[in-house]
Amino acid sequence: MITTKNRASDLRRTYRVLQQLNPPPLEVLITLDGCTADVMGTVKAELPEARLFVNQVGLGSVASRDRMIREARGDLVLALDDDSYPEQLDCISRILPLFEQRPKLGVLHFPQRTDEYPETLAGTNFDSKEHLTRSFANSGAVLRRSTYLQLSGFEPRFFHMYEEPDYALQCVAAGYHVVFSPIVTIRHHSSGQARDEIRIHHRHARNEFWSTLMRCPLPFAPGMLAWRVLSQFRYACKRGWSWVVREPRWWAQTLAGVPYCFRKRRPVSWASYKRWLALP
């Protein structure tokens, strides 16, 4: 499953790779999230075999992925960005046995070679050992759909970012495993579109706070929430005064969503929360 917004060339490159997979995937699901009319026309014309979902108004990558995984026909769903793809064309035959052998495997994710971190492009700095983790990247991860449907899943209110650690916490609390494995590698190209680092920071901080409010049990939740705010403020201080003075923006966004989070609150046990925090 892939969500995209006005990046037809990136999507075209990724789709060409997916067409070469052997064995092939059961289906390729793509959400056009608030794309322009010309991009929608191009994708529909050039990718006729893909199963397309169209959001006329952008709902964000999180809501888009939530819908696709719920509507997927297979039980294993490979989540990719429009600019990421598996490097091994036999990746499906490598992945399937792991899920067949491990009924508690909820998410499997992989090392990535990305232009954002040039040192990874040589492919020599990857962690070669499989291990449990407390998060993953939707630019290269396989989710078991039957597990996903048992849990709350991705929180659409997040729009972008932080759905992965929030879902990993749900998995850990329910006894499922989130596993990093080098059995497959992902090539993740860096999009030419500029990244607004402050907006990314604000979304991450806001969604982290909301996740903590929804998942962390009492009496520990207030302390964890305060720690989240302080840690994000320390990060802003390291980036400079121009970041510090903009911190109230995400505070205001966060407060506006607090009533919603209280309605959605499903705290896990403190033992599960601590176990998740202790994971790398």
Side-chain angles (χ1 to χ4, degrees):
M1 64 175 180
I2 301 168
T3 180
T4 187
K5 182 174 183 179
N6 295 333
R7 301 202 308 201
S9 59
D10 290 320
L11 180 61
R12 186 183 298 115
R13 177 180 53 206
T14 294
Y15 190 75
R16 282 199 296 264
V17 174
L18 298 182
Q19 287 182 307
Q20 300 175 49
L21 297 185
N22 185 23
L26 175 64
E27 60 181 348
V28 177
L29 302 92
I30 300 173
T31 294
L32 304 173
D33 187 45
C35 293
T36 59
D38 59 325
V39 169
M40 287 193 289
T42 297
V43 172
K44 290 178 180 179
E46 296 187 14
L47 285 61
E49 297 178 359
R51 188 177 170 198
L52 298 181
F53 302 84
V54 177
N55 298 333
Q56 297 292 345
V57 177
L59 301 178
S61 61
V62 180
S64 298
R65 288 187 173 115
D66 178 70
R67 179 186 178 187
M68 285 188 289
I69 196 171
R70 292 183 186 280
E71 298 206 18
R73 299 188 180 107
D75 190 45
L76 300 181
V77 181
L78 172 59
L80 297 169
D81 282 351
D82 53 14
D83 58 358
S84 69
Y85 50 80
E87 294 189 301
Q88 293 75 22
L89 298 182
D90 64 342
C91 63
I92 293 177
S93 62
R94 298 184 183 205
I95 291 167
L96 285 175
L98 295 182
F99 280 90
E100 292 171 350
Q101 297 162 11
R102 307 178 191 182
K104 287 297 184 180
L105 179 56
V107 181
L108 186 69
H109 62 111
F110 317 105
Q112 301 193 16
R113 296 198 310 115
T114 172
D115 303 291
E116 188 174 358
Y117 301 103
E119 66 274 12
T120 67
L121 295 178
T124 58
N125 296 324
F126 292 152
D127 189 339
S128 61
K129 294 183 179 180
E130 181 180 292
H131 58 270
L132 298 174
T133 64
R134 62 171 169 171
S135 188
F136 59 96
N138 267 324
S139 52
V142 179
L143 293 84
R144 194 191 297 267
R145 180 176 177 271
S146 55
T147 298
Y148 187 91
L149 296 179
Q150 294 176 32
L151 306 174
S152 298
F154 297 152
E155 174 47 60
R157 188 73 176 258
F158 287 173
F159 195 80
H160 290 306
M161 306 195 68
Y162 208 78
E163 77 277 14
E164 299 104 331
D166 181 73
Y167 180 66
L169 170 57
Q170 296 174 47
C171 286
V172 170
Y176 294 101
H177 301 149
V178 178
V179 175
F180 169 91
S181 172
I183 195 170
V184 169
T185 56
I186 300 295
R187 180 66 172 98
H188 196 173
H189 294 271
S190 179
S191 171
Q193 295 184 3
R195 294 164 61 93
D196 186 333
E197 290 190 342
I198 291 181
R199 184 172 65 175
I200 290 171
H201 163 64
H202 287 177
R203 280 180 174 163
H204 182 277
R206 179 197 68 186
N207 295 346
E208 181 184 61
F209 187 99
W210 284 348
S211 173
T212 304
L213 183 57
M214 288 189 287
R215 316 293 178 205
C216 188
L218 293 172
F220 307 100
M224 285 298 304
L225 290 169
W227 180 75
R228 297 294 194 193
V229 174
L230 289 173
S231 63
Q232 294 295 344
F233 187 75
R234 284 199 303 269
Y235 174 76
C237 290
K238 292 178 182 178
R239 296 302 300 266
W241 182 248
S242 63
W243 282 58
V244 171
V245 297
R246 299 180 190 179
E247 282 295 274
R249 290 185 182 179
W250 80 261
W251 299 345
Q253 295 171 9
T254 300
L255 289 175
V258 164
Y260 172 87
C261 293
F262 269 118
R263 293 194 299 271
K264 295 285 295 277
R265 182 170 163 77
R266 299 291 186 275
V268 303
S269 71
W270 179 239
S272 296
Y273 203 89
K274 284 198 301 182
R275 187 164 65 251
W276 171 73
L277 285 174
L279 291 170

